[in-house]
Amino acid sequence: MTMIVAIDGLAASGKSSLAQAIAKKCSLFYVDSGSFYRFITYRLLCEGISPDQHDAICSFLPMVRFHYRTARHFWKGRDVSEALRSSAIDELVSGVARIGLVRKKINRTVRHLVKHKPAVVEGRDIGTVVFPKADLKIFLLASEEARIARRNQQRQEWGHSAERECVKKNIRLRDQIDSEREIAPLVPATDAVIIDTSQLTLEETVARGCKLVQECWKKHG
Ligand code: DC
């Protein structure tokens, strides 16, 4: 297996910023596994299927094909990456991510994507389930306040409205569903390096992450 850096953590803990920066600085392929859960949720929304219609979801899943290029998702030739960040998807995605068949499909896709490439993969269960033998596992924590502030800023950058109370409610609910679900709950792998980013700037977090990757490269030979 090629080198895999797994980055897991709570919603808005800084996973994407860190993973993208590591990918760029260390020339690793970048996979945002959460965007695949969002893409399936988007397709279900378009079809009018709700997350509690398990049978309908399982019948529909084989029809879903991913077109993931340069960390963007395409559907019918259109880049839908921005649409995947809507509040409708924020609200529904954790429900969809509880479904075993959905997780199986995404795990298979992610493993296939990085089969021949050293990569950094971010998500919730990357170090525990998808790549339990990852060369480096990082788990990010941050206070709720810091995470709400970051998600608000991100939503503005993505061109979506950012109502503080809604963002707070959504982050709390998603953390709860993601952490308490039966299959692949969000927990740090026992061998993960835990970084609390509450008091760190992005540059400081990236510097720590890159240092860990360099050390890992050396060991990997
Ligand atoms: O990282 P994100 O906020 O875009 O992820 C969206 C949702 O997808 C998240 O609430 C839980 C789910 N998810 C998951 O269950 N497992 C992963 N590896 C990645 C995301």
Side-chain angles (χ1 to χ4, degrees), residues 15-27 202 206 210:
K15 297 187 299 291
S16 297
S17 307
L18 176 63
Q20 286 170 19
I22 288 181
K24 201 167 165 196
K25 286 191 185 231
C26 307
S27 305
L202 175 60
V206 170
C210 286

Side-chain angles (χ1 to χ4, degrees), residues 33-34 37-38 85 93-94 97 103 123-125 174 178 181:
S33 67
Y37 290 91
R38 288 175 179 272
R85 305 285 157 188
V93 64
S94 285
R103 305 201 68 82
R124 301 288 192 291
D125 62 343
R174 281 207 294 142
D178 295 345
R181 68 174 170 233

Side-chain angles (χ1 to χ4, degrees), residues 29-40:
F29 182 61
Y30 166 63
V31 183
D32 168 12
S33 67
S35 68
F36 288 79
Y37 290 91
R38 288 175 179 272
F39 181 77
I40 290 184

Side-chain angles (χ1 to χ4, degrees), residues 149-168:
R150 283 180 198 152
R151 184 46 52 94
N152 265 332
Q153 198 189 332
Q154 269 175 347
R155 289 190 61 75
Q156 279 162 9
E157 284 165 14
W158 290 325
H160 295 296
S161 64
E163 217 264 277
R164 199 180 179 284
E165 275 312 301
C166 286
V167 170
K168 181 171 164 181

Side-chain angles (χ1 to χ4, degrees), residues 177-197:
I177 299 175
D178 295 345
S179 307
E180 293 177 359
R181 68 174 170 233
E182 250 170 73
I183 315 169
L186 169 68
V187 280
T190 48
D191 51 350
V193 179
I194 296 180
I195 303 178
D196 184 338
T197 65

